[in-house]
Amino acid sequence: MESLTNVLGLRAILDALPALVLVVDEDVRVLDNNRAATQILLGGQDSQLVGLRRAGDAMLCIHATETPAGCGHSPHCRQCVIRGSVGEAARGRIVVRRRARMELHRADVVEEICALVTATPLQYMDQARVLLVIDNISELTDIQSFLPICSVCKKIRPDEQTWLPLESYFKTYWDVDFSHSYCPACLEEERGRMLADHAAGQSSP
């Protein structure tokens, strides 16, 4: 039977996405996948991951090898972000989004990545399934995890020669604008300073 993605003409769109896109059942068995999943998980060797393979088995999760039954049967699987997110989506939660540290095994290379895992319910071939999307956000988290900042003026150094004010850095690199306000401690301090200045002005001749 033709997959839902082909029926709806979405195969080309899903295959164009760089993220891993999997259609899974509640036990995280892969029912359909996009090209990125094939390239990243299998090196392009097979056209599909579909069958009885669970996502943890397909990704060669280290915990999936701890028991002959594979993915979902290790004690660690109870804390698995992917399995937990899929379970919540299967029980009706509209969108589940979580970050997770993952290891991707490619041939003899093991790559540790920070992933954004998104799971949402999906009607697939007249069955309740889950759409699982795994984005590699390692580049973003690497930027966030180590960023040189001046301990005095709080300027940020995005490269070896440039120092930018905090607001300028976030506007330039993240397109983030700031609105300025006071935290409670600084508000009290500023109020005290203003009252002191006012009192000094009142007492001056």
Side-chain angles (χ1 to χ4, degrees), residues 55-76:
D57 298 323
M59 295 178 188
L60 301 179
C61 171
I62 187 172
H63 300 302
T65 63
E66 293 175 347
T67 171
C71 174
H73 295 274
S74 162
H76 294 277

Side-chain angles (χ1 to χ4, degrees), residues 81-132:
V81 171
I82 292 177
R83 184 164 286 276
S85 299
V86 168
E88 287 187 43
R91 290 189 293 273
R93 185 168 171 185
I94 296 176
V95 177
V96 182
R97 305 193 84 194
R98 293 201 176 93
R99 292 201 312 180
R101 285 279 176 187
M102 297 174 56
E103 288 184 348
L104 293 180
H105 296 248
R106 308 181 193 182
D108 296 328
V109 178
V110 178
E111 179 185 2
E112 183 174 334
I113 69 168
C114 185
L116 178 63
V117 177
T118 305
T120 188
L122 173 74
Q123 279 297 121
Y124 177 88
M125 298 171 70
D126 298 324
Q127 297 288 327
R129 305 301 188 192
V130 174
L131 182 68
L132 179 64

